[in-house]
């Protein structure tokens, strides 16, 4: 998790979940959106861009890379800091819902998931 934060230049402290988490995985067929803080400023980014201005194109390209597999099998993961206000996350979800994204997993942590040496994401459908 420390390496990830350094590579994307965002501070992200995942929220805790009391529920049992679903293993989302970590494969090339996952589209990840990060939401965190850079010097106290909230930022949203993807693996390819440091903002969401190209989101529609990124998702279209991702769908083409997905090939003949059913696109409904693609996983979209939101890795968001626990301190982001719900209003800001709701705004992000509205933007995502206007794209081909129909189901979003949000990454969480709990007492059973240790991300220190593990980057297989666990979360819940948000």
């Amino acid at each position: 998790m420390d390496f990830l934060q350094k590579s994307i230049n965002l501070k992200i402290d995942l929220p805790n979940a009391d529920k049992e988490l679903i293993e989302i995985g970590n494969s090339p067929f996952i589209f990840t959106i990060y939401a965190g803080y850079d010097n106290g400023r909230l930022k949203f980014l993807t693996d390819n861009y440091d903002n969401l201005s190209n989101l529609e194109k990124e998702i279209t390209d991702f769908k083409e890379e997905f090939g003949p597999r059913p696109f409904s099998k693609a996983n979209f993961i939101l890795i968001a800091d626990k301190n982001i206000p719900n209003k800001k996350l709701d705004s992000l979800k509205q933007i995502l819902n206007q794209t081909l994204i129909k189901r979003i997993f949000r990454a969480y942590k709990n007492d059973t998931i240790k991300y220190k040496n593990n980057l297989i994401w666990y979360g819940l459908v948000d």
Side-chain angles (χ1 to χ4, degrees), residues 76-91:
F76 295 90
I77 301 175
L78 174 60
I79 300 174
D81 188 85
K82 68 181 181 182
N83 297 310
I84 298 173
N86 286 335
K87 185 176 179 179
K88 295 284 186 183
L89 288 177
D90 289 343
S91 295

Side-chain angles (χ1 to χ4, degrees), residues 35-51:
Y37 291 95
D38 179 19
N39 293 322
R41 189 172 149 236
L42 178 60
K43 288 181 73 176
F44 300 105
L45 54 101
T46 66
D47 286 325
N48 299 313
Y49 292 96
D50 64 356
N51 59 51

Side-chain angles (χ1 to χ4, degrees), residues 19-31:
K19 299 177 182 177
E20 183 177 342
L21 300 177
I22 301 166
E23 182 179 329
I24 303 166
N26 190 5
S27 80
F29 304 112
I30 292 176
F31 189 93

Side-chain angles (χ1 to χ4, degrees), residues 71-72 74 76 96-105 125-126:
F71 193 62
S72 62
F76 295 90
L96 298 177
N97 286 332
Q98 294 174 8
T99 68
L100 295 172
I101 298 173
K102 300 303 172 214
R103 182 181 63 174
I104 302 165
F105 286 96
V125 175
D126 211 22

